[in-house]
Amino acid sequence: MKRSIVITGGAGFIGSHVVRLFVNKYPEYNIINLDKLTYAGNLANLKDVEQCPNYKFVRMDICDFEAFYQLMQQEKVDGIIHLAAESHVDRSIKDPFTFARTNVMGTLSLLQAAKLYWESLPEKYEGKRFYHISTDEVYGALEMDRPEGVEPPFTTTASSSEHHLAYGSEFFLETTKYNPHSPYSASKASSDHFVRAYHDTYGMPTVVTNCSNNYGPYQFPEKLIPLFINNIRHRRPLPVYGKGENVRDWLYVEDHARAIDLIFHKGTVAETYNIGGFNEWKNIDIIHTVIRTVDRLLGRAEGEDLDLITYVTDRLGHDARYAIDSSKLQRELGWEPSLQFEEGIERTVRWYLDNEEWLANITSGEYEKYYESMYGGR
Ligand code: NAD
Ligand code: TYD
């Protein structure tokens, strides 16, 4: 079936993987990558698909209601996969207003434009879908209450044997009450509520997913894993917040993109699905793994760069532990993570080491100059 789908935030980290997957897998679809190109948006992420006939890039702010309404009419949009957001917790602590504007008002603007356009059609909401990508951070933070030596009641598919134990007895379920702590997660929680409200009030066919931390190629080097790979390479200090004992649940980005494809096509309207690989790690353990991998791949003595670890003041309101229970998605739609964590880390480190130019362009200011010349600044 021919479809016309807008993917917002397609020039960002996860969005670029979703765009690539859809453009390659669905040549009959019209795929529109809608992105404002903030500091986090980078069209170099999509060089390999930019010439494809079923792909189009539109530079637009999701808060621009009029422009988006017109685009929906012009392109006869029947599906929206919404990833555009301000996504970095540290930035949200410094500048919460930008997060409220983009994540809350931007999402509301898309919803309202979609509502007006779809309700104007004879078939109305039939065959339409508004898919909102959210985060596990909306659920708040979990306790680290697993007594030493006690095994959790599941076998993990994605993580290594060494690290497969959960750090606590509780997991985020789709029914877990929202309890966001950071301005980032508060803004995402608010946008999730608006999306569900558009289903409950107007009957819009929405779906929401909440995913754990992603890692992989094309992630902006302000986030833990790419930042540390880059710093190790250049032998710069590795700023570990607090004691490095916070726990995150990591998923390879291509596994997230596959889940998005599956849920967009087969997920039940108005449902929520948690996405995660049962793959909890303490930050400090990840950091050790990343250091060992970078050292080995660069031909340095393994562990040579451990002394770059620098403990710094903790992040304000730093959530202790995130852990997603994704068994609903596994059970109902048959999704599974495909990679062991060590394999994913190895692939990721290799990618950053092989794509030094991509990283250098972002970190050197070349990237800013390029966009200024291409698009007249930001
Ligand atoms: P990212 O910061 O790498 O990319 C965000 C993209 O959105 C960029 O291309 C940026 O230019 C664009 N954008 C920002 N503001 C915009 C605006 N006003 N109008 C149009 N485009 C705008 O983010 P990411 O890590 O790829 O995350 C994508 C989505 O997935 C976000 O909604 C995030 O909350 C969610 N998420 C991320 C993770 C993670 O670990 N990265 C985990 C779960 C959920
Ligand atoms: P991050 O990649 O920012 O993702 P999130 O905050 O959304 O989980 O951070 C992952 C973890 O790593 C988080 O516990 C904060 C920690 N962290 C550091 O210790 N040092 C750093 O420089 C960064 C960016 C993060």
Side-chain angles (χ1 to χ4, degrees), residues 198-212:
Y198 268 64
H199 170 268
D200 296 351
T201 308
Y202 309 111
M204 185 180 284
T206 59
V207 65
V208 177
T209 55
N210 299 83
C211 188
S212 61

Side-chain angles (χ1 to χ4, degrees), residues 130-351:
F130 190 109
Y131 179 177
H132 177 62
I133 312 296
S134 192
T135 165
D136 60 356
E137 302 189 25
V138 297
Y139 296 124
L142 294 165
E143 298 285 323
M144 292 205 256
D145 60 355
R146 173 169 60 79
E148 282 300 313
V150 175
E151 300 264 346
F154 61 79
T155 334
T156 139
T157 39
S159 57
S160 71
S161 50
E162 192 187 343
H163 278 280
H164 77 284
L165 297 185
Y167 282 98
S169 53
E170 278 193 299
F171 296 85
F172 295 137
L173 291 162
E174 286 81 358
T175 48
T176 301
K177 193 167 159 280
Y178 274 31
N179 187 18
H181 299 302
S182 73
Y184 164 65
S185 54
S187 69
K188 291 296 291 187
S190 171
S191 64
D192 296 7
H193 291 319
F194 270 109
V195 173
R196 296 192 179 105
Y198 268 64
H199 170 268
D200 296 351
T201 308
Y202 309 111
M204 185 180 284
T206 59
V207 65
V208 177
T209 55
N210 299 83
C211 188
S212 61
N213 285 58
N214 285 214
Y215 71 101
Y218 300 112
Q219 188 166 29
F220 195 83
E222 64 187 353
K223 305 276 167 65
L224 180 75
I225 291 179
L227 176 73
F228 277 35
I229 294 172
N230 195 32
N231 284 9
I232 298 162
R233 179 185 193 116
H234 297 288
R235 293 213 154 99
R236 286 198 289 258
L238 306 174
V240 180
Y241 300 163
K243 294 184 179 150
E245 296 206 326
N246 301 65
V247 169
R248 297 290 181 267
D249 186 356
W250 294 89
L251 184 68
Y252 192 66
V253 62
E254 288 180 7
D255 282 334
H256 188 188
R258 276 194 307 108
I260 290 172
D261 175 23
L262 188 64
I263 293 160
F264 179 74
H265 290 98
K266 304 244 170 73
T268 304
V269 164
E271 284 295 322
T272 297
Y273 298 90
N274 280 351
I275 310 175
F278 290 113
N279 184 37
E280 290 177 52
W281 285 67
K282 279 192 178 170
N283 291 341
I284 195 65
D285 293 332
I286 294 211
I287 291 162
H288 282 140
T289 304
V290 171
I291 293 173
R292 280 201 302 273
T293 312
V294 176
D295 283 346
R296 178 165 46 77
L297 293 179
L298 286 179
R300 298 178 185 168
E302 225 172 272
E304 183 180 328
D305 289 315
L306 283 169
D307 61 358
L308 294 175
I309 290 176
T310 309
Y311 290 94
V312 299
T313 310
D314 208 354
R315 175 186 274 173
L316 295 176
H318 199 170
D319 285 338
R321 169 177 172 248
Y322 302 144
I324 273 275
D325 183 337
S326 62
S327 41
K328 173 177 172 182
L329 176 61
Q330 305 203 6
R331 195 177 54 244
E332 292 186 8
L333 297 181
W335 173 88
E336 272 198 3
S338 66
L339 282 183
Q340 293 259 310
F341 190 58
E342 278 82 352
E343 199 184 337
I345 284 288
E346 170 109 11
R347 268 198 212 181
T348 305
V349 171
R350 265 188 207 284
W351 187 87

Side-chain angles (χ1 to χ4, degrees), residues 8-16 33-42 45 60-63 82-88 101-103 106 132-137 184 188 209-215 218-220 222-223 250-251 253 256 367 378:
T8 72
F13 166 48
I14 303 170
S16 63
N33 170 12
L34 186 160
D35 201 295
K36 182 183 175 182
L37 300 180
T38 66
Y39 78 95
N42 183 357
N45 297 359
M60 193 184 285
D61 187 332
I62 55 166
C63 298
H82 175 36
L83 295 110
E86 289 293 336
S87 67
H88 191 42
R101 179 187 180 275
T102 291
N103 298 358
H132 177 62
I133 312 296
S134 192
T135 165
D136 60 356
E137 302 189 25
Y184 164 65
K188 291 296 291 187
T209 55
N210 299 83
C211 188
S212 61
N213 285 58
N214 285 214
Y215 71 101
Y218 300 112
Q219 188 166 29
F220 195 83
E222 64 187 353
K223 305 276 167 65
W250 294 89
L251 184 68
V253 62
H256 188 188
Y367 172 66
R378 288 156 190 277

